[in-house]
């Protein structure tokens, strides 16, 4: 039983890691195809992609839209969570459901709906229209995380602050946000990740200023290439570094 | 600073449940009043109404003669010490205590000085840069008190402030609380369900039951001459003997119809009201007294609880001639 | 103004940005899409109206209906396989791996999560393709002489999906498992239950809400995904999202795409209704 467990664990890790290992290994391929045999170690593909202007622009777009849309989603989600956790509003269950609803709808449908609306309203597509879509998908996430983190402990501290004369803005700024900092940081981080990696909304709602996943998508059209491996490996490296940093600074904080 | 408080026929409802039923109470400036009652009787509800965390369905609350209707907690001259303290975990003690002043736009150095002063008042000098999680329960309690007092409220509301402390610490803190109240002169409204704590600190005790005030008065009065059976029983152990037209199971003790109330410590070998011969059922040594259950020979169905002198050594089965030094007759309406 | 009214006004004020955003960019677009699904095409022009033709086509035209059936089949397969694979993995990490390595084990198990989604599907192509790692390895050992057709099949799509959702489900099931007090199992064993009975009667039911929630999320994400079937499944057999994209892209038939989207949402809603009893979406 014990042996079986470890065997299963090993097999699972092998399955999970297989494509990533293949991806990274063949990004160093000294040849034109990222498939066996491995023809030797080369950094030429990294060189190539770092010199690819379109790709670097797309990377910048992705970062921009990820941070801006996540910040917006976080602020709105936090304020809404605060309102629904504090104030007894009529229909608050319904309101909560409405705010969470986009989570259960496929990104494709959200994108299609927005595309229809933007077309009808005569709004031309740009990075910002994709950003709007990203806020739509991240808002429920930020709201849900912030809402779940607001416990009694928090509620009482806010009450105490109000009792001591704090205005609502002061309560939010001096008490709620600092107390929720870990949850808010996690929500922001997750949002950035989702937005950064999101394809279909960005694909349908941008025209010229595309994001990184869309640019990678267009690279795929020309077939297998170690260049794609190199981009994927770089993204992987950056994301994993970010995760490790988050892990160290956010979740390992001494109590 | 200090102010009087007037609660005028305040009613509060949660759904259809009546949490407060037309409660009226006047509290003088500088008075230390304790709201005492069993769980669910509406103490917290009343405190929340005074603090402005909720609004009554009907009735008025006046502080210093001013109607508080529609005044938010921040604008009321009240502050609250919460049962779980609600200290801000991300701030130092100085920042916690200085928070109210900060909200009032007081400059940093001044805030800091006041915080140090208040921390010293509650017995925590030199700990300004600590954080709440580094403190013990009793110390947190003091910080919560300092924080609430730092803005010089007219009325301080305390919701079971000592509830989370162990018994020994609670007894020590209640003396300190009384002492601090004397020094600052603020009106204190203190909620508890511990009657010993109530008697230790209160100028006046308000006994509540099921959303109504069952009794009000200084500790001595509420304990010795309660106005209701409920408050009599809630303030401490008491023997209740039914009397009908001057007759009871123990014979003719007092005239009238109602309930004869005798505290266990009022029963002894001498007294003005003879209870007759009683058989001792069981005995326990309590340190300050000997507690025993006895059955009057005249009324085998009745059991009385008595507190006998520490020096008296009795065994179960012994027969004593007992009498009461003090009693109270609550006439039936 | 009474306190209540003031508080309420404040609440609405704080809620307003999120609410307005959701109404403007989620509810309104959905309604627009719904309206559009009842329009029809005349040549390349969209004619508004109330015409259920798109829906009738979605369920009677075999090429459209087939996409729906494919999607549901693939999604159900993926969800079941993922849960079955992820549960033991989560359990091993929660119960067998020493406490201080658990977080690391978990992070490792979801590491590929952090590659880009598009690239992850692409890298399965490198593994499963005609000249991919698996075919090269098998031919190298002489087990097969002709490369297996792994890529551009339903199997490839399923493998790509399972890879992703095993990671996701391991996380949610693990979170569920470590919340269980070990005393539940102890109590069951104390009362005479064997390992198997403990598992079936105590542990499994206790993790069911978490499992169902994870499975539902898997279902929603899987059935709505365009990337994985497009890259790994090829065009041999279309899923609903692929068909939607085709309708939009190739023929510009937005009304049909909208109708298919509404059908997709309806399927998700059905799935939601089926397991809403156990769902804890607020607890993700
Ligand atoms: N928010 C609420 N919603 C519904 N009912 C409530 C609410 N708050 C209090 N109640 C009810 O009102 C009554 C009075 O409650 P309150 O909290 O004032 O009691 P309390 O005297 O403070 O009790 P405790 O000693 O347990 O704190 C109780 O019956 C309680 O169940
Ligand atoms: Mg209470």
């Amino acid at each position: 039983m014990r042996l079986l467990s470890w065997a299963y664990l090993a097999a699972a890790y092998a399955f999970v890691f297989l494509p990533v290992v293949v991806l990274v290994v063949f990004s160093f391929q000294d040849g034109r195809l990222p498939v066996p045999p491995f023809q030797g170690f080369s950094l030429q593909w990294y060189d190539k992609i770092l010199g690819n202007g379109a790709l670097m622009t797309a990377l910048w777009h992705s970062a921009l839209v990820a941070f801006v849309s996540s910040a917006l989603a976080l602020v709105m989600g936090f304020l809404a969570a605060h309102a629904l956790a504090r104030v007894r509003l009529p229909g608050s269950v319904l309101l909560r459901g409405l705010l969470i609803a986009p989570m259960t709808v496929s990104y494709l449908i959200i994108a299609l709906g927005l595309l229809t609306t933007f077309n009808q309203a005569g709004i031309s597509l740009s990075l910002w229209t994709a950003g709007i879509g990203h806020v739509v998908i991240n808002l429920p996430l930020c709201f849900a995380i912030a809402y779940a983190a607001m416990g009694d402990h928090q509620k009482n501290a806010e009450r105490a602050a109000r009792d001591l004369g704090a205005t609502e803005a002061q309560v939010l700024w001096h008490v709620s946000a600092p107390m929720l900092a870990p949850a808010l940081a996690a929500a922001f981080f997750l949002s950035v990740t989702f937005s950064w990696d999101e394809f279909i909304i960005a694909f349908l709602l941008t025209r010229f200023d595309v994001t990184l996943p869309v640019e990678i998508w267009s690279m795929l059209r020309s077939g297998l290439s170690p260049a794609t491996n190199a981009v994927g490996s770089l993204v992987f490296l950056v994301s994993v570094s970010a995760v490790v940093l988050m892990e160290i600074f956010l979740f390992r904080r001494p109590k | 600073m200090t102010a009087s408080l007037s609660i005028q026929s305040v009613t509060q409802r949660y759904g259809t449940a009546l949490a407060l039923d037309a409660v009226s109470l006047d509290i003088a400036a500088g008075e230390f009043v304790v709201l005492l009652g069993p769980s669910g009787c509406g103490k917290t509800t009343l405190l929340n109404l005074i603090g402005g965390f909720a609004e009554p369905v009907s009735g008025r609350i006046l502080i210093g003669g001013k109607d508080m209707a529609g005044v938010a907690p921040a604008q009321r001259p009240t502050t609250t010490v919460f049962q779980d303290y609600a200290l801000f975990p991300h701030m130092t003690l100085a920042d916690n205590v200085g928070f109210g002043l900060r909200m009032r736009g007081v400059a940093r150095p001044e805030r800091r000085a006041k915080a140090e002063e208040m921390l010293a008042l509650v017995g925590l000098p030199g700990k300004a840069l600590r954080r709440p999680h580094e403190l013990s329960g009793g110390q947190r309690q003091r910080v919560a008190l300092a924080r609430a007092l730092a803005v010089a409220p007219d009325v301080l509301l305390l919701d079971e402030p000592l509830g989370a402390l162990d018994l020994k610490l609670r007894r020590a803190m209640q003396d300190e609380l009384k002492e601090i109240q004397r020094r600052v002169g603020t009106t204190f409204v203190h909620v508890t369900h511990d009657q010993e704590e109530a008697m230790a600190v209160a100028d006046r005790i308000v006994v509540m039951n099921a959303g109504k005030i069952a009794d009000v008065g200084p500790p001595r009065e509420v304990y010795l001459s309660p106005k209701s059976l409920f408050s009599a029983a809630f303030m401490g152990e008491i023997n209740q003997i039914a009397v009908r037209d001057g007759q009871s199971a123990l014979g003719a003790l007092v005239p009238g119809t109602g309930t004869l109330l005798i505290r266990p410590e009022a029963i002894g070998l001498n007294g003005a009201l003879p209870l007759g011969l009683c058989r001792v059922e069981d005995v326990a040594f309590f340190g300050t007294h000997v507690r025993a259950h006895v059955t009057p020979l005249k009324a085998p169905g009745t059991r009385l609880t008595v507190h006998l002198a520490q020096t008296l050594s009795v065994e179960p089965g012994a027969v004593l001639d007992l009498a009461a030094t003090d009693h109270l007759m609550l006439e039936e309406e | 103004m009474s306190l209540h009214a003031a508080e309420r006004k404040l609440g609405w004020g704080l809620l307003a940005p999120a609410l307005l955003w959701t109404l403007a960019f989620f509810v309104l677009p959905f309604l627009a899409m719904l309206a559009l699904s009842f329009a029809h095409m005349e040549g390349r022009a969209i004619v508004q109206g109330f015409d259920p033709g798109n829906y009738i086509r979605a369920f009677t035209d075999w090429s459209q209906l087939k996409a729906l059936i494919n999607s549901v089949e693939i999604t159900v397969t993926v969800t079941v396989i993922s849960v079955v694979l992820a549960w033991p993995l989560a359990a091993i990490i929660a119960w067998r791996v020493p406490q201080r390595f658990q977080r690391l084990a978990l992070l490792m198990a979801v590491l590929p999560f952090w590659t880009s989604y598009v690239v992850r599907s692409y890298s399965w192509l490198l593994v499963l393709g005609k000249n991919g790692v698996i075919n090269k390895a098998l031919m190298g050992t002489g087990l097969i002489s002709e490369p297996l057709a792994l890529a551009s099949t339903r199997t490839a799509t399923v493998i790509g999906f399972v890879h992703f959702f095993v990671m996701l489900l391991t996380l949610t099931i693990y979170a569920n498992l470590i919340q269980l007090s070990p005393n539940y199992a102890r109590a069951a064993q104390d009362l005479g239950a064997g390992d198997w009975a403990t598992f079936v009667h105590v542990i499994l039911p206790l993790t069911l809400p978490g499992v169902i929630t994870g499975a539902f999320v898997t279902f929603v994400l899987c059935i709505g995904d365009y990337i994985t079937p497009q890259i790994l499944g090829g065009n041999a057999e279309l899923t609903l999202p692929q068909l939607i994209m085709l309708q939009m892209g190739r023929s510009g038939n937005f009304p049909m795409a909208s109708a298919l989207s509404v059908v997709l949402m309806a399927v998700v809603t059905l799935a939601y209704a089926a397991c809403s009893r156990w769902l804890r979406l607020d607890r993700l």
Side-chain angles (χ1 to χ4, degrees):
Chain A
M1 198 59 194
R2 171 142 291 204
L3 204 68
L4 204 64
S5 298
W6 294 119
Y8 189 86
L9 197 64
Y13 279 122
F15 172 63
V16 162
F17 276 95
L18 178 62
V20 181
V21 171
V22 171
L23 178 79
V24 175
V25 166
F26 287 101
S27 69
F28 299 112
Q29 175 78 303
D30 193 7
R32 300 184 54 91
L33 280 177
V35 287
F38 190 68
Q39 292 162 337
F41 183 87
S42 147
L43 286 175
Q44 55 172 308
W45 300 106
Y46 286 91
D47 200 38
K48 204 159 244 157
I49 58 159
L50 290 178
N52 181 338
L55 204 61
M56 291 304 123
T57 315
L59 193 131
W60 159 242
H61 284 156
S62 269
L64 184 69
V65 80
F67 278 91
V68 174
S69 72
S70 300
L72 254 175
L74 184 67
V75 171
M76 291 196 291
F78 168 60
L79 294 182
H82 182 81
L84 283 177
R86 287 301 152 271
V87 189
R88 231 175 291 157
L89 293 172
S92 64
V93 175
L94 220 72
L95 289 171
R96 226 159 57 211
L98 179 63
L99 289 180
I100 300 275
M103 254 207 263
T104 61
V105 177
S106 303
Y107 290 0
L108 174 60
I109 296 175
I110 291 174
L112 183 55
L114 280 171
L115 185 59
T116 308
T117 312
F118 290 147
N119 280 345
Q120 284 172 359
I123 296 168
S124 58
L125 301 179
S126 69
L127 196 57
W128 301 114
T129 45
I132 287 176
H134 284 183
V135 175
V136 172
I137 59 168
N138 283 328
L139 182 54
L141 184 83
C142 292
F143 168 76
I145 293 178
Y147 189 82
M150 291 180 176
D152 278 348
H153 180 52
Q154 165 103 22
K155 206 180 217 154
N156 292 340
E158 285 167 0
R159 226 164 70 135
R162 243 169 255 140
D163 186 46
L164 291 167
T167 62
E168 203 55 28
Q170 285 170 319
V171 171
L172 283 169
W173 183 250
H174 292 300
V175 179
S176 315
M179 279 181 80
L180 283 178
L184 295 182
F188 182 74
F189 177 69
L190 270 180
S191 294
V192 167
T193 314
F194 285 171
S195 168
W196 164 262
D197 201 24
E198 199 289 323
F199 169 72
I200 199 78
I201 293 175
F203 182 65
L204 291 176
L205 296 184
T206 55
R207 183 150 296 156
F208 304 112
D209 33 8
V210 299
T211 63
L212 189 61
V214 180
E215 186 63 31
I216 294 175
W217 183 263
S218 59
M219 284 173 75
L220 292 189
R221 273 199 222 129
S222 49
L224 305 184
S225 160
T228 311
N229 288 44
V231 178
S233 305
L234 266 187
V235 171
F236 182 54
L237 183 73
V238 172
S239 316
V240 169
S241 320
V243 174
V244 171
L245 286 179
M246 285 290 286
E247 179 72 16
I248 291 171
F249 289 113
L250 207 68
F251 299 114
R252 285 274 167 77
R253 243 199 342 203
K255 290 227 168 125
Chain B
M1 292 210 298
T2 184
S4 64
L5 175 65
S6 177
I7 297 159
Q8 303 180 347
S9 110
V10 161
T11 295
Q12 181 69 323
R13 244 185 227 104
Y14 294 108
T16 53
L18 205 57
L20 286 179
D21 187 2
V23 167
S24 294
L25 180 67
D26 280 297
I27 297 173
E31 203 176 1
F32 198 137
V33 165
V34 171
L35 304 181
L36 179 67
S39 193
C41 71
K43 306 180 297 282
T44 300
T45 304
L46 184 54
L47 217 57
N48 282 345
L49 292 176
I50 301 171
F53 297 111
E55 275 210 284
V57 172
S58 65
R60 295 204 305 164
I61 291 172
L62 290 83
I63 299 177
K66 273 207 265 329
D67 193 343
M68 288 291 123
V71 181
Q75 270 72 51
R76 295 198 183 197
T78 59
T79 51
T80 306
V81 176
F82 297 91
Q83 177 166 4
D84 67 348
Y85 315 144
L87 295 178
F88 307 128
H90 56 291
M91 294 183 193
T92 61
L93 299 196
D95 288 342
N96 261 288
V97 176
F99 186 85
L101 297 172
R102 183 173 175 190
M103 295 302 113
R104 287 161 176 72
V106 176
R108 196 173 177 74
E110 217 174 311
R111 253 161 38 206
R112 182 61 197 271
K114 184 75 183 172
E116 298 271 11
E117 181 194 326
M118 296 315 297
L119 284 170
L121 175 74
V122 298
L124 288 173
K127 294 210 166 41
L129 295 180
R130 298 280 189 88
R131 277 172 195 272
H133 66 86
E134 296 172 57
L135 304 182
S136 71
Q139 289 173 323
R140 281 179 215 185
Q141 213 286 312
R142 290 159 200 258
V143 177
L145 185 61
R147 185 177 69 178
L149 284 173
V151 295
D154 291 341
V155 179
L156 186 73
L157 308 171
L158 306 102
D159 192 359
E160 301 192 32
L162 310 178
L165 306 181
D166 66 55
L167 193 64
K168 222 169 161 179
L169 196 52
R170 201 188 302 175
R171 298 287 172 251
M173 277 304 298
Q174 70 199 20
D175 293 344
E176 249 180 87
L177 206 56
K178 181 78 189 168
E179 173 57 29
I180 289 169
Q181 193 265 343
R182 231 177 249 133
R183 250 191 282 168
V184 296
T186 303
T187 308
F188 273 38
V189 182
H190 177 128
V191 162
T192 182
H193 47 236
D194 174 352
Q195 82 278 3
E196 272 192 56
E197 180 182 312
M199 287 190 275
V201 296
D203 294 328
R204 234 164 13 126
I205 294 178
V206 178
V207 181
M208 294 181 64
N209 181 30
K212 288 199 170 103
I213 293 181
D215 206 347
V216 190
R220 166 182 294 275
E221 197 175 291
V222 175
Y223 186 82
L224 293 179
S225 30
K227 290 181 201 66
S228 71
L229 273 182
F230 178 83
S231 69
F234 198 81
M235 290 305 293
E237 241 180 338
I238 199 156
N239 294 297
Q240 307 187 7
I241 300 161
V243 180
R244 178 151 286 279
D245 293 329
Q247 285 301 317
S248 76
L250 294 177
L253 295 173
V254 288
T257 295
T259 310
L260 175 64
L261 300 169
I262 308 172
R263 296 268 176 212
E265 68 272 15
I267 299 176
L269 298 180
N270 313 305
L273 187 70
L275 298 171
L277 294 176
C278 299
R279 183 180 321 105
V280 177
E281 304 287 344
D282 55 44
V283 177
F285 183 68
F286 266 64
T288 53
H289 59 268
V290 172
R291 184 166 178 269
H293 287 111
V294 302
T295 305
L297 297 185
K298 267 189 274 182
T302 307
R303 247 162 96 90
L304 302 174
T305 306
V306 300
H307 291 178
L308 300 169
Q310 187 193 38
T311 48
L312 201 70
S313 76
V314 286
E315 296 289 321
V319 173
L320 303 172
D321 190 8
L322 296 176
T325 53
D326 195 12
H327 66 272
L328 180 75
M329 178 65 186
L330 271 188
E331 296 270 352
E332 228 158 63
E333 318 274 271
Chain C
M1 186 164 49
S2 85
L3 274 183
H4 266 310
E7 200 167 71
R8 242 178 224 188
K9 203 170 135 203
L10 182 81
W12 284 116
L14 292 173
L15 199 57
L19 202 58
L20 291 179
W21 194 281
T22 306
L23 288 176
F25 299 121
F26 176 70
V27 177
L28 184 73
F30 176 72
L31 294 179
M33 200 178 74
L34 197 63
L36 195 60
S37 71
F38 289 101
H40 65 274
M41 302 291 289
E42 270 172 22
R44 296 205 58 88
I46 295 169
V47 182
Q48 297 284 358
F50 188 81
D51 177 2
N54 293 322
Y55 291 99
I56 295 172
R57 236 182 98 201
F59 288 102
T60 53
D61 183 341
W62 179 241
S63 62
Q64 319 274 325
L65 183 60
K66 187 75 180 84
L68 173 62
I69 294 171
N70 287 341
S71 273
V72 172
E73 280 174 0
I74 290 174
T75 302
V76 171
T77 314
V78 166
T79 306
V80 171
I81 295 180
S82 301
V83 169
V84 169
L85 290 182
W87 211 104
L89 183 56
I92 290 168
I93 294 178
W95 295 334
R96 289 268 191 267
V97 174
Q99 194 103 52
R100 61 206 171 96
F101 293 124
Q102 283 190 7
R103 218 183 151 91
L104 183 69
L106 210 60
L107 272 181
M108 296 265 292
V110 301
L111 206 62
F113 197 81
W114 303 110
T115 53
S116 130
Y117 191 95
V118 174
V119 170
R120 193 175 32 245
S121 291
Y122 161 83
S123 54
W124 272 110
L125 217 49
L126 306 181
V127 175
L128 300 171
K130 191 155 162 260
N131 294 309
V133 175
I134 289 186
N135 273 323
K136 284 278 169 64
L138 289 179
M139 294 209 303
T141 57
L143 278 171
I144 54 170
S145 51
E146 283 294 307
L148 300 173
L150 291 172
S152 296
T153 62
R154 179 182 285 202
T155 311
T157 305
V158 170
I159 290 177
F161 271 136
V162 166
H163 182 243
F164 181 73
F165 292 115
V166 161
M167 295 192 280
L168 186 93
L169 282 164
T170 303
L171 272 183
T172 52
I173 297 173
Y174 170 85
N176 225 261
L177 285 180
I178 51 159
Q179 278 172 7
L180 291 186
S181 153
N183 286 341
Y184 286 123
R186 288 191 196 132
Q189 279 161 355
D190 201 38
L191 297 169
D195 283 347
W196 180 246
T198 304
F199 177 76
V200 170
H201 295 298
V202 179
I203 305 293
L204 206 54
L206 283 172
T207 60
L208 207 58
V211 170
I212 303 262
T213 306
F216 175 70
V217 172
T218 302
F219 189 94
V220 173
L221 294 179
C222 186
I223 203 164
D225 186 40
Y226 168 71
I227 300 170
T228 304
Q230 180 69 17
I231 294 180
L232 290 172
N235 284 321
E237 128 184 297
L238 292 183
T239 60
L240 206 45
Q242 285 176 291
L243 184 61
I244 292 171
M245 290 292 281
L246 263 183
Q247 291 290 2
M248 260 194 300
R250 192 182 297 162
S251 38
N253 191 341
F254 276 82
M256 190 66 212
S258 300
L260 291 170
S261 299
V262 174
V263 170
L264 183 58
M265 270 189 78
V267 174
V268 171
T269 311
L270 280 179
Y272 177 81
C275 50
S276 62
R277 212 148 81 73
W278 299 282
L279 278 183
R280 305 251 175 88
L281 285 183
D282 50 335
R283 285 283 169 100
L284 272 185

